[in-house]
Amino acid sequence: MTSPVPPIGTQVSALAARHPHAPAATCDGVTVTRAQLDAATNRLARSFAACGVGVGDYVTILLPNSLDWIHAVLACWKLGAVPQPLSARLPDAELAALLELRRPALLVGRADPTGVTPTMTATPAQDVSDAPLPEAVSPVWKSMASGGSTGRPKLIEAGNDSRIPAAIGTPLGAQEGDVSLISVPLSHNTGFTTFAVGLLQGHHLVVMPRFEPHGFLRLVTEHRVTFLTTVPTIMQRLLPVYRADPDAYDLSSIRRFWHLAAPCPPAVKRAWIELLGPDKVWELYGGTELQALTFISGDQWLTHPGSVGVVVAGEMKVLDDDGNECPPGVPGEIYMRRAPGARPTYRYVGSTATSRDGWDSLGDLGYFDADGFLYLTDRRVDMFTVGGRNVYPAEIESALAEHPGVLSSLAVGVPDDDLGQVPHVIVQAPGLDAAEVTAFLTDRLAGYKLPRTVEFTDRPLRDDAGKARRSAVRDEVIARRAAQSD
C-alpha cells in the first residue's frame, strides 16, 4: 500500500530539512536558501492566520514576480488556504468583478477596490515565530483567473487538493536539482505551474521580475539554466538580441526548453530548433483547465511543421458548426475532455467553456492531420471574414514573424463597406514602413489576407505571458478611425 502524498507545504519543509543551504529561489539578484524560504513562509503563514485565514479560505495575491510572491503562495499552502494569483496591474473594475465571483479572506499587495476584504503585505513581522506549522491540506491547490480576452471574467479552480506529487514535472522532463528560469508572469498559469513544478522537485528557481531579453540571456548564462518554460512572444523578442552578439551568451546548459500559451510562428520555432537542437525544444498545447494535452518534440515538429503535437492526456476532437467530426485536414472547433474515469481537473466559477455532450471548447480552431498531429489555425473569436472568406489573424502574424525586423505584430479585422471586413495590422518593427510590410507579405499571403492598413508601435503588442486583448485592440482601432473621419 502506497503512502499518501503529503501536502505541498510539508514537502517544501522536508526539502529544507534535507538540504537547508541549497538555493531555493533567486529574484532581482537576491537568493534565498531552502531553509530561509521555509522559515519565512512559516512566519508569513502565521501573519495570514492572524488576519483570519484558515483551511479552505481564498487569498488573492496581487504582487509582481518577486520573492514576496513566492512567500505569499507558499504561506497559503502551509495554512491549507487557496492561493489566487492575479496580475498586479489588473484594473480595479476587473479586480472587483473577480472578487465578486469568490470573495477571498485576504488580499495581499493591494487594497480591495470594493472596500470589503482586508489587505496586508507579504512581509511578516520579525517577532513572529518561524517554527513549523501543523500540516494542512488546501482543498483546491490553485485558483486561476481567465476570460480577459472575452471580457467575461471567470475563475478556474484546480480539481486537486494540495497533495500534489513531486513527480508532477516528470512528464515534462523536469528533474530534481534543475535550475529553472521563469520569465513569464507568475500570475499566469504557465508561470504558476512552472513555479510549482520547481518548488516540489527542488529546483533552483530563477525568477525574472519582468522579462527583458538581455536579462533573460544573461541569467541563462550566469546560472546555467537547465529547464525553462516560456511563450512565443518572448522567443521572438530574444532572437534579434541573441543574434546581435551570440558570443556574449551561453545557452548550452539548457536541457529542456518548453513553449506554450499561444501559437508559435513557424519561423520563430525553426530558429530555436536550429539554435538549441531539436531534442531540447518542446511544445505543449492545452488550457488552464487541463482537460487534455498535446506534446510535440522538435524532431516531430520538423516532420510535421506547424503542428502542436499528438494528444498525450485526455481526448480531443475537431467538430464543424453542426457538431460533426471533421476529417483529417479540415479545420473546425477543437473540443476536449479528460479521459473516461479520470477525476475532474478543474471547475469554473463565473462564465464557463462552450460544451457539447461533455466535451469542452476553449474557442480554438484547428485540425488533425492523417497522422494524428493537431494544428491550430486561430481562436474562433479572432477569426474574421473578408468578402465571405475566412481570415485567421495568426496566419498574418506568422508571416510577419519571418521578417527579421519585426519584433511583434497583431492583426485584426476592421469594418469595410465593400467586403464587410478587411485586415489591419499593428507592427512593432523599428525602421520599417507600411510599403515594406505589404511588399513582404505579398509573396506569402493571398491577396484578400493582405493588410489594407498598417500601423506602427514602439511597444510590445503582447504581455509577457504572450497574451493580447485582440478584441480591445480592434475596438480601439475602429474608434480611432471613426474619430479621424469626423
Side-chain angles (χ1 to χ4, degrees):
M1 185 174 178
T2 59
S3 301
V5 174
I8 295 172
T10 301
Q11 293 184 60
V12 171
S13 295
L15 282 169
R18 288 201 301 271
H19 303 288
H21 303 298
T26 295
C27 185
D28 212 12
V30 177
T31 298
V32 295
T33 66
R34 293 184 188 175
Q36 290 170 331
L37 177 64
D38 192 43
T41 51
N42 286 343
R43 290 197 302 272
L44 187 57
R46 286 187 166 87
S47 296
F48 285 0
C51 292
V53 177
V55 173
D57 287 329
Y58 283 63
V59 176
T60 300
I61 299 164
L62 293 145
L63 294 167
N65 283 13
S66 58
L67 294 177
D68 280 351
W69 187 98
I70 293 173
H71 290 157
V73 171
L74 185 50
C76 288
W77 284 326
K78 287 191 171 183
L79 289 175
V82 179
Q84 182 186 78
L86 301 178
S87 169
R89 296 182 291 171
L90 201 66
D92 279 350
E94 289 188 42
L95 173 57
L98 288 165
L99 294 177
E100 289 300 324
L101 292 177
R102 173 79 74 182
R103 179 60 61 179
L106 182 68
L107 266 69
V108 179
R110 182 167 152 191
D112 180 356
T114 67
V116 175
T117 307
T119 305
M120 69 168 287
T121 68
T123 304
Q126 288 300 312
D127 58 354
V128 176
S129 171
D130 63 4
L133 292 110
E135 183 171 279
V137 178
S138 306
V140 175
W141 76 283
K142 62 178 178 178
S143 175
M144 310 301 294
S146 186
S149 61
T150 63
R152 300 190 305 274
K154 66 175 178 284
L155 300 175
I156 302 172
E157 299 179 340
N160 299 327
D161 61 34
S162 61
R163 290 173 293 194
I164 304 296
I168 181 177
T170 300
L172 301 176
Q175 300 175 3
E176 184 175 353
D178 268 330
V179 179
S180 180
L181 177 64
I182 301 178
S183 57
V184 299
L186 287 163
S187 57
H188 184 267
N189 193 55
T190 301
F192 190 96
T193 303
T194 305
F195 155 74
V197 165
L199 193 69
L200 289 166
Q201 288 197 301
H203 293 183
H204 177 192
L205 296 166
V206 180
V207 178
M208 298 189 72
R210 185 171 178 81
F211 170 75
E212 189 279 319
H214 294 278
F216 181 109
L217 297 168
R218 178 182 56 78
L219 288 171
V220 171
T221 302
E222 178 184 340
H223 291 283
R224 306 296 296 157
V225 168
T226 58
F227 182 92
L228 64 87
T229 305
T230 192
V231 296
T233 298
I234 286 177
M235 295 164 67
Q236 187 167 355
R237 293 184 207 171
L238 286 168
L239 285 172
V241 176
Y242 179 82
R243 287 167 171 164
D245 192 7
D247 293 335
Y249 309 107
D250 182 1
L251 307 184
S252 63
S253 61
I254 297 174
R255 191 189 71 257
R256 191 60 62 94
F257 180 107
W258 281 95
H259 68 90
L260 60 155
C264 186
V268 174
K269 174 84 170 222
R270 192 177 298 276
W272 278 99
I273 289 175
E274 292 173 354
L275 184 60
L276 298 180
D279 57 318
K280 296 181 178 182
V281 180
W282 287 70
E283 183 173 1
L284 178 154
Y285 167 69
T288 302
E289 298 87 341
L290 294 180
Q291 300 102 320
L293 297 172
T294 68
F295 284 1
I296 189 167
S297 68
D299 288 305
Q300 290 173 316
W301 190 89
L302 289 173
T303 58
H304 296 80
S307 174
V308 294
V310 295
V311 178
V312 297
E315 299 176 305
M316 293 187 188
K317 61 182 179 180
V318 176
L319 304 179
D320 63 21
D321 289 341
D322 296 322
N324 302 310
E325 193 156 358
C326 296
V330 176
E333 189 161 358
I334 300 166
Y335 284 80
M336 57 186 75
R337 69 179 181 184
R338 65 184 186 277
R343 63 181 296 182
T345 54
Y346 67 96
R347 61 176 173 267
Y348 290 112
V349 180
S351 63
T352 62
T354 303
S355 295
R356 285 180 184 264
D357 301 322
W359 293 76
D360 290 342
S361 168
L362 306 180
D364 291 330
L365 304 175
Y367 62 92
F368 281 102
D369 68 13
D371 297 324
F373 283 79
L374 180 66
Y375 298 74
L376 303 181
T377 52
D378 219 316
R379 294 186 58 79
R380 178 174 288 281
V381 295
D382 296 334
M383 184 189 75
F384 57 94
T385 60
V386 176
R389 292 172 289 188
N390 292 344
V391 174
Y392 301 101
E395 186 178 5
I396 301 173
E397 293 158 8
S398 290
L400 280 168
E402 296 179 26
H403 194 295
V406 172
L407 299 179
S408 62
S409 67
L410 203 67
V412 296
V414 295
D416 180 78
D417 291 339
D418 180 33
L419 297 171
Q421 296 181 92
V422 292
H424 172 89
V425 297
I426 308 171
V427 184
Q428 182 193 13
L432 292 185
D433 60 29
E436 290 173 296
V437 169
T438 303
F440 181 79
L441 292 176
T442 298
D443 295 332
R444 291 167 172 81
L445 297 173
Y448 68 92
K449 300 177 185 178
L450 293 174
R452 299 300 177 91
T453 47
V454 180
E455 174 184 346
F456 291 90
T457 181
D458 58 1
R459 294 179 297 174
L461 293 162
R462 288 173 173 77
D463 63 22
D464 289 345
K467 301 296 183 182
R469 298 194 173 192
R470 200 186 301 271
S471 59
V473 170
R474 179 180 181 273
D475 290 345
E476 290 174 7
V477 172
I478 293 173
R480 202 161 54 240
R481 288 159 63 101
Q484 292 170 351
S485 64
D486 289 342

